């Protein structure tokens, strides 16, 4: 039995996002049938195994000390050189000044010389100041040398760890962990963990997402503000860029959308065309519509929305098993229908009628072929209904979650990230989920 958990160990950022580069993630925990702990594996997030911030700070501090030492050394050399000249000139100045005072009968030339010497007399006190500065610089040099030695020793101690070898071992472990995760059967939702507010932007209603299928190396984020007749899709390069609202390009869809039930799947945006039950596939790279197909019998234009309204009649989503449409029709008496779609043709591969009234649902999402429905879109919401398409059975659940901003207008699961993306009253919020897994082994 496995309880696969992916919440960060600390508040954002980013565990999952927005990423503190020092954050850690629990990839998996395991226990035997008696409930005893077998292992707990903790690994750094992908590509974050590098010299820790203390080592970097130590290296920077050492470099700064070296720079200061070089500057002090230069000042010391110049001061010592100037002081040597003063020391050589001081006896001459004092001797000439004494002879001029002793002999009052010198010629006018001597009087002129005395005037010049008088102008030079302040240099005698300057020489005394130079002596003091040299002593201070010598003491400072000694302290810097001692500090440099200490920092060098500390850096050597920190550097004694083979970070490259550690990185190789952690990446190997991470690969093994992901391989193990891929071997796990799909899990049952047991918890929705605390919300992570990524950004506050846009209107009260909208949707945002990452691609549910492409490799994790592609970290683009898409945002679509509003639910009615929108056409503008913003594509951000990374989650960090989305958080800051920078580095984005705009896609202007040829057909307006309805609702917030859009999904990005394998490089394409799938959405419901405004005032119709037509599904549209828009390809981001070619910036063109690849496919349009009617979802036969599906209600639209606020006929069978979720409880919050917003033309949310058709909700497209993806999970570990593929692309889905959640909707209803008059023939189904307004109860939720779940259909699995072919991404290439948008044909319905199979449909299930859940018996749950769609207008009573706050929002819904798919995980591992199971439809999970929330009882409300407002504060105090929880996941309280689950329909399993694998067994064509349903159950009532009690999985609470913190509806931080009290009005969710979009809630979708991303199987690649193992997280729920929500648009909550103008805030873009993430929830990590806890799945309960059963491992089946031969024999």
């Amino acid at each position: 039995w496995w309880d696969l958990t992916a919440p960060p160990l600390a508040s954002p950022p980013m565990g999952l996002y927005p990423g503190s580069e020092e954050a850690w993630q629990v990839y998996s925990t395991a226990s035997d049938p008696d409930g005893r702990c077998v292992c707990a594996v903790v690994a750094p997030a992908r590509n974050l195994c590098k010299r820790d911030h203390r080592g970097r700070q130590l290296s920077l501090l050492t470099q700064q000390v070296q720079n200061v030492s070089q500057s002090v050394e230069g000042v010391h050399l110049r001061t010592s050189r100037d002081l040597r000249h003063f020391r050589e000139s001081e006896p001459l100045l004092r001797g000439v000044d004494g002879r001029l005072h002793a002999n009052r009968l010198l010629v006018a030339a001597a009087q002129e010389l005395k005037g010049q010497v008088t102008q030079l007399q302040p240099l005698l006190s300057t020489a005394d100041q130079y002596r003091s500065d040299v002593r201070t610089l010598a003491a400072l040099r000694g302290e810097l040398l001692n500090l440099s030695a200490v920092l060098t020793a500390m850096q050597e101690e920190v550097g004694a760890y083979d970070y490259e070898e550690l990185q190789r071992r952690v990446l190997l472990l991470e690969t093994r962990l992901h391989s193990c995760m891929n071997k796990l059967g799909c899990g049952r939702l047991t918890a929705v963990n605390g919300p992570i507010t990524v950004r506050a932007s846009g209107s009260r209603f909208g949707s945002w997402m990452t691609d549910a299928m492409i490799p994790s190396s592609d970290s683009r984020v898409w945002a679509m503000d509003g639910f009615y007749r929108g056409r503008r899709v913003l594509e951000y390069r990374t989650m960090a860029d989305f958080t800051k609202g920078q580095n984005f390009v705009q896609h202007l869809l040829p057909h307006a959308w309805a609702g917030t039930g859009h999904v990005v799947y394998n490089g394409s945006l799938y959405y419901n065309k405004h005032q119709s039950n037509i599904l549209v596939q828009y390809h981001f790279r070619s910036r063109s519509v690849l496919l349009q197909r009617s979802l036969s019998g599906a209600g639209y234009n606020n006929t069978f929305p979720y409880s919050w309204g917003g033309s949310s009649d058709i909700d497209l989503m993806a999970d570990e098993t593929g692309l889905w449409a959640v909707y209803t029709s008059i023939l189904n008496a307004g109860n939720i229908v779940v259909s699995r779609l072919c991404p290439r043709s948008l044909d319905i591969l199979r449909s299930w009628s859940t018996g749950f009234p769609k207008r009573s649902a706050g929002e819904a999402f798919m995980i591992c072929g199971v439809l999970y429905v929330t009882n409300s879109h407002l504060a105090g919401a929880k996941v309280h209904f689950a329909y399993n398409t694998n067994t064509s059975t349903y159950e009532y659940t009690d999985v609470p979650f913190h509806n931080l901003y009290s009005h969710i207008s979009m809630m979708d699961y991303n199987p690649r990230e193992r997280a729920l993306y929500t648009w909550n009253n103008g805030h873009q919020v993430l929830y990590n989920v806890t799945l309960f897994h059963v491992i089946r082994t031969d024999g």
Side-chain angles (χ1 to χ4, degrees):
W1 299 88
W2 284 64
D3 178 13
L4 182 61
T5 310
L9 294 183
S11 298
M14 308 147 180
L16 180 60
Y17 300 111
S20 167
E21 292 195 353
E22 309 303 332
W24 291 70
Q25 286 182 305
V26 177
Y27 273 86
S28 62
T29 59
S31 59
D32 62 18
D34 297 326
R36 293 172 299 188
C37 180
V38 175
C39 67
V41 182
V42 180
R46 182 177 296 274
N47 296 330
L48 296 185
C49 182
K50 57 181 75 171
R51 291 185 181 273
D52 59 37
H53 68 285
R54 291 169 298 177
R56 293 194 298 271
Q57 289 175 345
L58 178 59
S59 177
L60 179 61
L61 182 58
T62 301
Q63 183 63 46
Q64 290 174 338
V65 169
Q66 292 173 350
N67 292 340
V68 172
S69 298
Q70 292 175 358
S71 299
V72 169
E73 189 67 27
V75 173
H76 175 74
L77 291 175
R78 290 194 301 272
T79 304
S80 300
R81 181 193 59 201
D82 294 342
L83 183 60
R84 186 174 65 252
H85 292 318
F86 274 115
R87 285 173 176 169
E88 293 173 354
S89 303
E90 184 181 0
L92 297 176
L93 288 172
R94 295 188 187 278
V96 171
D97 183 62
R99 287 195 299 273
L100 288 173
H101 279 288
N103 191 351
R104 302 293 183 181
L105 301 177
L106 290 176
V107 295
Q111 291 295 332
E112 182 181 356
L113 179 60
K114 175 177 172 49
Q116 295 174 351
V117 171
T118 301
Q119 294 177 5
L120 293 174
Q121 279 183 337
L123 293 178
L124 297 176
S125 60
T126 302
D128 294 333
Q129 183 62 46
Y130 265 119
R131 289 193 185 95
S132 176
D133 290 344
V134 167
R135 288 192 295 268
T136 302
L137 284 171
L140 182 58
R141 285 179 65 209
E143 292 178 10
L144 284 172
L145 289 174
N146 292 335
L147 181 57
S148 296
V150 171
L151 289 174
T152 300
M154 291 173 62
Q155 191 170 32
E156 289 176 353
E157 181 180 354
V158 172
Y161 300 101
D162 189 344
Y163 283 94
E164 288 71 21
E165 174 62 18
L166 285 177
Q167 183 177 18
R168 188 191 67 79
R169 292 172 61 185
V170 169
L171 291 177
L172 177 61
L173 176 60
E174 186 181 58
T175 301
R176 292 175 61 190
L177 286 171
H178 281 283
S179 176
C180 180
M181 289 169 63
N182 291 333
K183 292 178 182 178
L184 292 175
C186 267
R188 175 170 56 87
L189 178 69
T190 59
V192 177
N193 302 293
I196 301 170
T197 301
V198 177
R199 187 182 176 192
S201 67
S203 65
R204 191 178 191 186
F205 314 97
S207 60
W208 71 296
M209 65 217 79
T210 56
D211 198 311
M213 183 179 176
I214 58 176
S216 57
S217 58
D218 188 330
S219 56
R220 288 177 295 172
V221 178
W222 290 270
M224 303 166 67
D225 190 13
F227 69 87
Y228 184 73
R229 299 184 64 177
R231 294 177 58 199
R232 184 169 173 258
V233 183
L234 299 184
E235 176 186 303
Y236 295 84
R237 186 183 59 181
T238 65
M239 183 65 72
D241 288 336
F242 173 73
T243 303
K244 299 174 184 176
Q246 63 184 23
N247 294 329
F248 63 87
V249 295
Q250 175 178 288
H251 298 268
L252 192 63
L253 301 177
H255 309 294
W257 71 68
T260 60
H262 327 299
V263 65
V264 175
Y265 188 80
N266 196 26
S268 290
L269 171 70
Y270 294 84
Y271 68 96
N272 177 205
K273 189 176 180 180
H274 175 61
Q275 290 189 331
S276 73
N277 60 8
I278 295 175
L279 307 182
V280 180
Q281 179 189 4
Y282 174 84
H283 189 244
F284 283 116
R285 179 171 294 179
S286 64
R287 293 178 175 263
S288 63
V289 171
L290 299 185
L291 187 63
Q292 295 187 66
R293 184 176 293 276
S294 174
L295 188 60
S296 179
Y300 62 92
N301 201 28
N302 250 10
T303 304
F304 298 111
Y306 290 125
S307 61
W308 65 270
S311 299
S312 56
D313 304 76
I314 299 174
D315 192 359
L316 300 172
M317 53 189 73
D319 69 355
E320 292 84 351
T321 61
L323 184 65
W324 300 85
V326 173
Y327 59 100
T328 190
S329 65
I330 295 176
L331 292 177
N332 285 279
N335 293 325
I336 290 178
V337 176
V338 182
S339 293
R340 187 173 179 183
L341 305 177
C342 173
R344 292 180 297 276
S345 65
L346 290 178
D347 289 336
I348 295 177
L349 303 177
R350 186 179 174 185
S351 293
W352 295 260
S353 181
T354 66
F356 191 93
K358 190 167 186 293
R359 283 184 173 273
S360 297
E363 264 291 341
F365 53 91
M366 296 288 297
I367 299 180
C368 298
V370 178
L371 175 72
Y372 293 95
V373 181
T374 68
N375 64 335
S376 174
H377 61 285
L378 303 173
K382 64 181 179 180
V383 180
H384 82 136
F385 179 84
Y387 186 89
N388 192 330
T389 62
N390 301 307
T391 60
S392 299
T393 59
Y394 70 88
E395 64 175 329
Y396 287 93
T397 61
D398 186 9
V399 181
F401 62 93
H402 185 25
N403 189 344
L404 188 59
Y405 303 104
S406 303
H407 195 287
I408 292 177
S409 59
M410 168 260 178
M411 191 172 199
D412 274 337
Y413 173 72
N414 187 299
R416 191 186 72 174
E417 307 291 351
R418 294 186 181 269
L420 291 172
Y421 284 64
T422 69
W423 190 289
N424 195 336
N425 215 354
H427 298 79
Q428 292 71 54
V429 182
L430 283 171
Y431 296 85
N432 289 299
V433 298
T434 301
L435 305 180
F436 186 78
H437 291 263
V438 176
I439 299 180
R440 295 178 175 86
T441 58
D442 295 337

